[in-house]
């Protein structure tokens, strides 16, 4: 990272790490099975680090409003869990912002709902299961800063507000999809640039 772009340096280090992991895996098959577990840990760790740095590189300087989801359903804090289960089974939305008198007060995630159901808590309402520690983000906040907030709070989704009013949600899944699209567009642009360089020139 001292001699090249940080994102490129991380991707290079990740590639080297994954190559070493493959060597460890092969040696583990021949000599010591413990090396296989070490190889898997190194490989997945390098891959995750590379993806995270790439995501931060693409989202740096980008406001949340550019990637937030604007078509969503918010649920009231006193909504029965049975109603949320029906909504979840429709498959349109997995995580929900929770509101009280139209003000966001928490989030309800699919994993928290499933955990509550597994514990036999079928007759409760959203308040009993929701997370009230995720907070909210303003639509003008930078997306890379919001990503850090989501990671620190372990929240896969956060409500987005404009002047205190709920206007959208930002999810790790949606950010990941946006990053994949932008990465594909960048690769296509780079490929066209290379093709233009080597395109035969007409003389005369």
């Amino acid at each position: 990272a001292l001699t090249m772009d940080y994102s490129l340096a991380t991707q290079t280090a990740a590639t080297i790490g994954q190559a070493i992991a493959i060597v460890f895996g092969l040696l583990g098959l021949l000599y010591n099975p413990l090396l296989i577990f070490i190889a898997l840990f190194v490989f997945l760790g390098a891959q995750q680090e590379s993806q995270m740095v790439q995501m931060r590189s693409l989202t740096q300087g980008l406001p949340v409003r550019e990637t937030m989801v604007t078509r969503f359903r918010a649920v009231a804090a006193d909504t029965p869990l049975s109603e949320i289960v029906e909504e979840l089974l429709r498959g349109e939305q997995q995580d929900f912002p929770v509101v009280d008198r139209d003000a966001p007060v928490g989030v309800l995630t699919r994993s928290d709902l499933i955990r509550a159901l597994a514990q036999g808590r079928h007759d409760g309402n959203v308040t009993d299961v929701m997370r009230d520690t995720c907070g909210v983000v303003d639509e003008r906040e930078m997306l890379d800063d919001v990503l850090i907030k989501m990671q620190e709070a372990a929240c896969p989704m956060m409500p987005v507000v404009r002047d205190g009013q709920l206007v959208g949600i930002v999810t790790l899944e949606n950010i990941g999809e946006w990053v994949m699209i932008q990465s594909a567009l960048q690769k296509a642009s780079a490929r066209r640039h290379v093709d233009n360089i080597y395109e035969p020139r007409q003389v005369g």
Side-chain angles (χ1 to χ4, degrees), residues 17-18 21 34-48:
Q18 289 177 327
L34 181 61
L35 290 176
I36 298 177
F37 294 101
I38 297 176
L40 183 62
F41 177 79
V42 172
F43 189 92
L44 294 178
Q47 184 180 45
Q48 185 177 13

Side-chain angles (χ1 to χ4, degrees), residues 72-77 79 84 93 95-99 102 166 169:
F72 64 95
R73 179 189 171 185
V75 298
T79 304
I84 305 301
Q93 193 170 331
D95 303 315
F96 304 87
V98 182
V99 296
D102 296 329
L166 181 65
I169 59 175

Side-chain angles (χ1 to χ4, degrees), residues 141-169:
E141 289 188 52
M142 295 298 104
L143 191 57
D144 52 336
D145 294 332
V146 173
L147 271 172
I148 295 175
K149 288 183 179 180
M150 296 175 75
Q151 292 168 356
E152 292 177 345
C155 291
M157 182 268 289
M158 295 184 75
V160 182
V161 298
R162 177 192 301 143
D163 298 327
Q165 296 295 315
L166 181 65
V167 294
I169 59 175

Side-chain angles (χ1 to χ4, degrees), residues 21-42:
I22 292 174
V23 174
F24 272 35
L26 294 175
L27 292 175
L29 290 173
L30 297 175
Y31 302 105
N32 187 350
L34 181 61
L35 290 176
I36 298 177
F37 294 101
I38 297 176
L40 183 62
F41 177 79
V42 172

Side-chain angles (χ1 to χ4, degrees), residues 6 25 28 37 45 69-70 75 78 103 105 132 134 141 148-149 183 196:
Y6 184 81
F37 294 101
V69 177
T70 56
V75 298
D78 59 354
V105 294
D132 57 5
C134 292
E141 289 188 52
I148 295 175
K149 288 183 179 180
S183 179
N196 290 336

Side-chain angles (χ1 to χ4, degrees), residues 62-119:
L62 185 75
V64 170
R65 62 174 172 265
E66 297 295 331
T67 61
M68 71 179 183
V69 177
T70 56
R71 296 178 60 183
F72 64 95
R73 179 189 171 185
V75 298
D78 59 354
T79 304
L81 291 181
S82 57
E83 183 177 329
I84 305 301
V85 171
E86 294 177 1
E87 185 72 23
L88 189 63
L89 290 174
R90 294 191 187 102
E92 298 177 358
Q93 193 170 331
Q94 296 181 350
D95 303 315
F96 304 87
V98 182
V99 296
D100 184 12
R101 299 179 183 178
D102 296 329
V105 294
V107 300
L108 176 64
T109 68
R110 179 180 63 174
S111 59
D112 290 340
L113 176 60
I114 297 300
R115 188 180 302 110
L117 296 176
Q119 294 171 351

